[in-house]
Structures are given as C-alpha cells and as structure tokens.
C-alpha cells in the first residue's frame, strides 16, 4: 500500500531541516573560526615611542605566513614607515618597578587579554640606579599578574639593549650587570604551562651605530631588535595553524649569506634569496641583516637599502616557486680581517 505524506507534516519537516541547517546541525560540520593569537608588546619608549621594531616584526611574521595574530595594547601610534598592527603597551618614561607597585598592568591585561607578552622593560629603572634585585622583584610581580590574567601566558623577556646616554656614565655598566641576572631569574620562575623565555637583545647591539641618542633605536637598531624577537616569538606560534611558515604553499622565503671577500677594514657579502614555497610565487621580498658589531653597510646592488633591511629592486622581486635571486653589498668593519658573522632574515609577500 502506498503511503501518503500529509501536507502539514511535510511542511513541518521542511521547517525543521531549515532550522537545523541554520545551526550547523545538518550536512557537513562547519569549522570553528580560528581565534588570533593575541600578542602584547610591553615596555617603555623603546617599545612604544615609536618602537618601529614592532612594525618590522609584524611584517616579518605576516610575510612568513603567520597571519593569524593580533598585536594588542591600549596604545596605538602609527608613526613608522611600514604599515602594521600598532597596538602596544609601550609607555614612554615608565619604570617596571613603578608599573608593578602601582598595579597598572592588570588593567591593561583586562582590556586586551593577551596570550603572549613580549617585554623589553627596565631601561628607565637601570637609568635611575634602581637595584637589580628590586627590578627583578617587579618582574616577578608582573609575571604573576600576567598569569592571573591567563594561566597559560607565554612571556618573552629581553636582556635590555645597551644604553649609553650622555647624562649617565654608569648606565652602560648597570645594564650589563642587570642583564647578567635575568637568565637565572627566568629559569626560577618559568613553568611548563607558562614559560618565560629570555631573548638576548644586548649582544651585537651598538649604541654608537644602532641608536640616535645612546638609548633609543634608529633604523639599524630596530632591525636588530626585530631580528632577535622573531625566532623566539615564531617558536610560540603553534605549527600547523594558519600562517605556519612550514606550509609549502605559504609563499615564504629564506636568505643565505656568504662572504665573497674579506680585507682589513671591510668585506663584500652576497645574499641568496630563495622562494621556499613549492606552489606559490612571491612578488616582493625583504631581507633584514644583523651585522657584526662595528660593521656598517656602504653599498648595495640588486636591492634597495633602508637601515639594514634590503628590499628587492624593481626587476627581481618576483621569484617563482623554488627559485632564487641574489643581491650583494659592501660593508666597513672595525674588526680584524676575518670571515664576518652576518645573520639574514627573509620575509616575502
């Protein structure tokens, strides 16, 4: 006997199917939207005024494929040449000790909810001759406040860049003494759930060539800071997430340096830029060079130089999957005639 579907029942079933589809109950399950990793740059004017290492770091991450990130902070100053996510917590003139004593950080954390804090903080404390024990106690309190906000907080803490202001003859030595204390402090406070990683921003940084006033980074200093932050920060971004630079289709690049010739007082270098993708061409690239202390770029060919970052020329920006291009440079150096140690970090789009 053939069954007959009642018209009212058919209409009810159709309505239920529409309802189920609207809430993802019918058909293939919909993927949950990815939540960006929230990163707070924390510190004083070296981080925030204008702190253009943040713009370089943001673009390095983006160009390497780490696009699912969000820099956060209650401040937002767009005063750097590169477009970037300018949110930050870099408060000019602030001390780490006063920030901890006045409980300023909990409010910033509540407003921004970071997953990772990138902290270069304490220069003003060192300048003011605050004792290392006192600064480290403030660090401990700040990390405690971070963990109260997010028990799984990841923290990158810098060994401070050198400072040598004309008004403080002792500041250079104080910075060295404080930096020496940071690794042991970090080892004592780190946990598996909330690791504290030390990033050496001091080694290879020269106040004479990498700052404009003995304290604040110039273009060269910004490039060095970004290059030091990048590997430590990218290591905290989960492999396999959108933006994983290991994805062969991400359109990333690598840079390899070689010394062509070396002489007393200078050297010639060559950098090979390779498209690391197997499927996607890149249309532009930029290589940030971290030079040995006392080195200075004097000439670049097959690229355009800004500070210590070399961008492609008009004719060699497009690189097909797996292919390479090169640029060369000359540099002066105060070191002895020996093979220079140059670090080259590539980003592409």
């Amino acid at each position: 006997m053939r069954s007959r579907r009642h018209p009212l029942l058919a209409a009810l079933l159709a309505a239920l199917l529409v309802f189920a589809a609207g809430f993802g109950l019918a058909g293939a399950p919909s993927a949950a939207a990815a939540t960006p990793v929230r990163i707070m740059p924390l510190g004083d004017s070296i981080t925030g005024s204008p702190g253009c290492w943040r713009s370089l770091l943001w673009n390095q991450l983006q160009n390497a494929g780490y696009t699912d990130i969000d820099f956060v902070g209650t401040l937002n100053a767009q005063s750097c040449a590169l477009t970037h996510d300018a949110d930050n917590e870099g408060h000019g003139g602030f001390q780490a000790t006063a920030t901890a004593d006045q409980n300023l950080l909990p409010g910033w954390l509540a407003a921004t909810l970071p997953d990772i804090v990138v902290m270069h903080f304490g220069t003003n404390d060192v300048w003011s001759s605050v004792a290392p024990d006192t600064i480290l106690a403030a660090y401990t309190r700040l990390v405690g406040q971070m963990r109260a906000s997010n028990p799984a907080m990841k923290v990158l803490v810098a060994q401070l860049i050198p400072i040598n202001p004309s008004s403080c003859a002792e500041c250079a030595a104080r910075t060295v003494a404080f930096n020496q204390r940071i690794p042991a402090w970090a080892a004592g406070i780190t946990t598996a759930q909330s690791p504290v990683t030390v990033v050496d921003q001091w080694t290879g940084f020269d106040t004479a060539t990498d700052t404009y006033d003995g304290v604040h980074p110039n273009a060269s200093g910004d490039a060095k800071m970004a290059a030091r932050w990048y590997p430590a920060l990218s290591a905290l971004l989960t492999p396999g997430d959108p933006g994983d630079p290991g994805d062969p289709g991400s359109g990333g690049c690598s840079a390899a340096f070689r010394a062509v010739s070396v002489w007393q007082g200078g050297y010639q270098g060559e950098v090979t830029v390779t498209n690391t993708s197997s499927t996607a061409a890149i249309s532009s690239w930029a290589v940030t060079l971290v030079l040995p202390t006392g080195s200075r770029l004097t000439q670049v060919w097959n690229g355009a130089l800004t500070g210590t970052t070399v961008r492609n020329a008009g004719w060699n920006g497009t690189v097909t999957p797996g292919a390479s291009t090169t640029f060369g440079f000359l540099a002066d150096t105060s070191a002895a005639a020996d093979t220079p140690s140059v670090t080259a970090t590539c980003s592409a789009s």
Side-chain angles (χ1 to χ4, degrees):
M1 177 177 173
R2 293 173 59 187
S3 63
R4 296 178 60 190
R5 180 175 294 175
H6 194 283
L8 181 59
L9 178 60
L12 179 60
L13 290 172
L16 287 172
L17 286 172
V18 171
F19 176 84
F23 283 86
L25 301 176
S30 59
T35 301
V37 178
R38 300 169 68 82
I39 303 165
M40 173 190 281
L42 172 64
D44 47 41
S45 59
I46 291 171
T47 295
S49 303
C52 287
W53 60 261
R54 291 183 286 105
S55 70
L56 296 174
L57 179 60
W58 170 262
N59 280 274
Q60 287 176 18
L61 290 165
Q62 294 290 301
N63 292 334
Y66 289 102
T67 56
D68 196 23
I69 59 173
D70 181 13
F71 278 14
V72 298
T74 61
L75 304 177
N76 183 297
Q78 290 279 2
S79 55
C80 302
L82 291 176
T83 300
H84 65 292
D85 183 346
D87 294 336
N88 73 94
E89 218 63 75
H91 296 262
F94 278 38
Q95 295 179 342
T97 48
T99 298
D101 291 343
Q102 296 171 26
N103 289 318
L104 300 177
L105 182 58
W108 303 338
L109 294 168
T112 59
L113 300 176
D115 304 296
I116 300 172
V117 173
V118 175
M119 186 172 86
H120 185 288
F121 210 0
T123 297
N124 290 309
D125 303 80
V126 171
W127 198 336
S128 300
S129 196
V130 177
D133 283 344
T134 305
I135 305 173
L136 292 175
Y139 276 17
T140 298
R141 185 168 182 178
L142 293 174
V143 171
Q145 292 168 345
M146 294 172 198
R147 289 171 174 167
S149 169
N150 180 353
M153 187 75 77
K154 310 296 188 294
V155 187
L156 300 182
V157 176
Q159 287 178 291
L160 305 177
I161 63 171
I163 62 170
N164 190 25
S166 58
S167 61
C168 180
E170 301 82 16
C171 278
R174 288 182 199 155
T175 305
V176 173
F178 177 61
N179 281 340
Q180 290 173 343
R181 298 283 303 278
I182 293 176
W185 165 84
I189 200 172
T190 194
T191 67
Q193 185 182 20
S194 176
V196 177
T197 303
V198 179
V199 177
D200 181 3
Q201 291 285 359
W202 187 87
T203 302
F205 197 101
D206 187 343
T207 56
T209 58
D210 298 326
T211 73
Y212 59 84
D213 60 357
V215 178
H216 299 90
N218 57 19
S220 172
D222 285 329
K224 288 186 176 182
M225 291 191 71
R228 289 298 178 91
W229 284 127
Y230 176 82
L233 181 54
S234 61
L236 298 179
L237 303 177
T238 305
D241 278 352
D244 175 17
D247 176 4
S250 65
C253 62
S254 64
F257 164 80
R258 73 179 184 95
V260 177
S261 59
V262 180
W263 57 89
Q264 188 67 38
Y267 56 94
Q268 177 182 339
E270 181 182 81
V271 174
T272 299
V273 177
T274 302
N275 182 349
T276 56
S277 171
S278 61
T279 59
I282 58 177
S283 58
S284 64
W285 49 263
V287 174
T288 299
L289 301 174
V290 178
L291 306 175
T293 300
S295 286
R296 180 179 63 89
L297 293 172
T298 59
Q299 183 179 348
V300 171
W301 53 93
N302 295 334
L305 177 65
T306 303
T308 57
T309 296
V310 180
R311 292 176 172 80
N312 59 272
W315 61 89
N316 63 355
T318 299
V319 185
T320 57
S324 300
T325 188
T326 63
F327 69 87
F329 65 87
L330 297 178
D332 291 340
T333 180
S334 59
D338 196 4
T339 302
S341 175
V342 175
T343 301
T345 304
C346 186
S347 58
S349 59

